Amino acid sequence: RVGSALVSSGPITQALQNMDVREAVASNEVDQRQITNFIAGVPELQGISRSRDGAKQLEPGRPKPQYEQSIIAARARKFEDLNQSLRDASVGPLTGQHGRSPPWPPAQTADRIHVTRIERPEERGISLCQLRALAETVRGAVGEGRYVSKWMQRRVAWDEFGPCSEECQLNFYELSDHFLMPMTAVHSCSYVELVADAPQPPTYLLAHWWGTPFKDTMAALEWHAEARSLLDTTIYWVCLLAENPREVSEGFVAPAQSAFNRAIQMSEGVLAVSDMQAT
């Protein structure tokens, strides 16, 4: 019973969610330029000339890859819109999920970020599938060197399959500063409101220390889901993802009045995750 009748997560869906037409390569460089022009909405033969025998060739004054890079940069929205259309057409039918992909990188997705306002924070749970999509986004950014630790000022290794030295483990404080804050900046909302289409009442609440590495917490969630034969659509309440990251640490709210307490009352159980020092 692990999983569901649909392929709601896994390597295939994660690859589809992260595909980028800007990185596609055609076997013929002239064809690639023509395809790039078509996607960008410029004349298809721009930057292409004819040789003496009439064959198409790259225009000498517009070398590769500088021409392609300039077109992609100038028409970035065209390429990202196509990316999103492909994700919707391929991932949607596979997963049966109606949520949205993480808006990353923020600078390239700001003009298409949609938010679903969920009034009650305790109903801003996140599915295991949506958590996996966030983890894949973070792993991709780290792997490409886009993330540099706020404190260590060095590249961070995700190191999915083995132990990682203490100084290179991305924790929830850094997840907030370098991923959640930028992604939620446009609408000043919670992360869940960026990826959910409707309220998502939790089945389980995650209790953890923010200093725990994100990858270790994800591993614990995966183990919990497997041990209990949970569907990928199971909803967890994660404070940092359910609340606006700009407000989650501001002030003190009496426990009885907090979203955390209301989420506990709504949930069937609590998953407590601790590190090796039991913090």
Side-chain angles (χ1 to χ4, degrees):
R1 189 172 169 275
V2 176
S4 67
L6 298 169
V7 188
S8 57
S9 62
I12 294 176
T13 56
Q14 289 173 353
L16 289 170
Q17 287 169 337
N18 290 305
M19 64 182 171
D20 192 337
V21 296
R22 289 166 290 203
E23 299 175 1
V25 178
S27 58
N28 182 287
E29 61 182 9
V30 175
D31 290 341
Q32 180 158 353
R33 178 162 294 185
Q34 192 167 346
I35 293 169
T36 299
N37 287 339
F38 176 79
I39 296 173
V42 301
E44 285 189 38
L45 297 181
Q46 181 174 293
I48 299 173
S49 60
R50 296 275 182 179
S51 63
R52 290 184 178 181
D53 61 2
K56 291 187 291 185
Q57 63 181 14
L58 299 185
E59 194 173 296
R62 295 177 171 178
K64 179 186 177 183
Q66 288 85 348
Y67 172 83
E68 283 74 16
Q69 291 171 347
S70 65
I71 286 291
I72 290 173
R75 301 296 183 103
R77 182 171 181 177
K78 291 279 188 180
F79 290 86
E80 189 49 48
D81 285 348
L82 178 57
N83 282 336
Q84 189 60 47
S85 296
L86 290 172
R87 292 184 197 112
D88 292 342
S90 58
V91 180
L94 280 174
T95 64
Q97 296 290 316
H98 302 291
R100 298 177 293 279
S101 300
W104 186 268
Q108 297 178 13
T109 59
D111 59 351
R112 65 174 182 80
I113 291 177
H114 174 73
V115 61
T116 299
R117 296 294 181 184
I118 301 174
E119 183 178 354
R120 302 175 64 189
E122 61 271 26
E123 293 184 342
R124 297 177 195 156
I126 187 167
S127 70
L128 184 59
C129 180
Q130 291 166 336
L131 279 166
R132 287 172 178 159
L134 174 60
E136 182 65 20
T137 296
V138 172
R139 180 163 46 240
V142 169
E144 294 170 7
R146 296 181 186 176
Y147 169 78
V148 177
S149 170
K150 177 180 179 181
W151 297 295
M152 305 303 173
Q153 294 300 305
R154 60 181 294 178
R155 180 171 173 174
V156 177
W158 177 263
D159 193 12
E160 178 182 11
F161 300 107
C164 183
S165 59
E166 181 178 355
E167 66 269 23
C168 72
Q169 296 197 29
L170 180 145
N171 60 37
F172 278 77
Y173 291 106
E174 295 182 299
L175 176 70
S176 177
D177 288 346
H178 296 276
F179 291 91
L180 303 182
M181 293 286 272
M183 284 193 282
T184 60
V186 172
H187 294 287
S188 188
C189 61
S190 69
Y191 174 78
V192 169
E193 290 172 296
L194 296 179
V195 297
D197 286 331
Q200 298 186 156
T203 303
Y204 295 96
L205 179 141
L206 174 67
H208 67 118
W209 175 47
W210 285 16
T212 304
F214 181 45
K215 71 180 185 67
D216 290 353
T217 303
M218 281 302 303
L221 285 163
E222 293 286 4
W223 181 86
H224 178 256
E226 181 177 356
R228 290 182 171 270
S229 299
L230 301 176
L231 297 175
D232 296 340
T233 51
T234 300
I235 305 296
Y236 292 86
W237 195 85
V238 184
C239 178
L240 186 58
L241 305 180
E243 306 253 26
N244 184 329
R246 292 156 191 79
E247 302 171 354
V248 70
S249 60
E250 294 180 4
F252 174 79
V253 180
Q257 302 171 358
S258 68
F260 184 91
N261 184 65
R262 295 195 299 271
I264 288 179
Q265 295 176 347
M266 186 177 292
S267 302
E268 294 179 8
V270 175
L271 172 61
V273 177
S274 65
D275 59 14
M276 296 300 291
Q277 287 71 45
T279 54

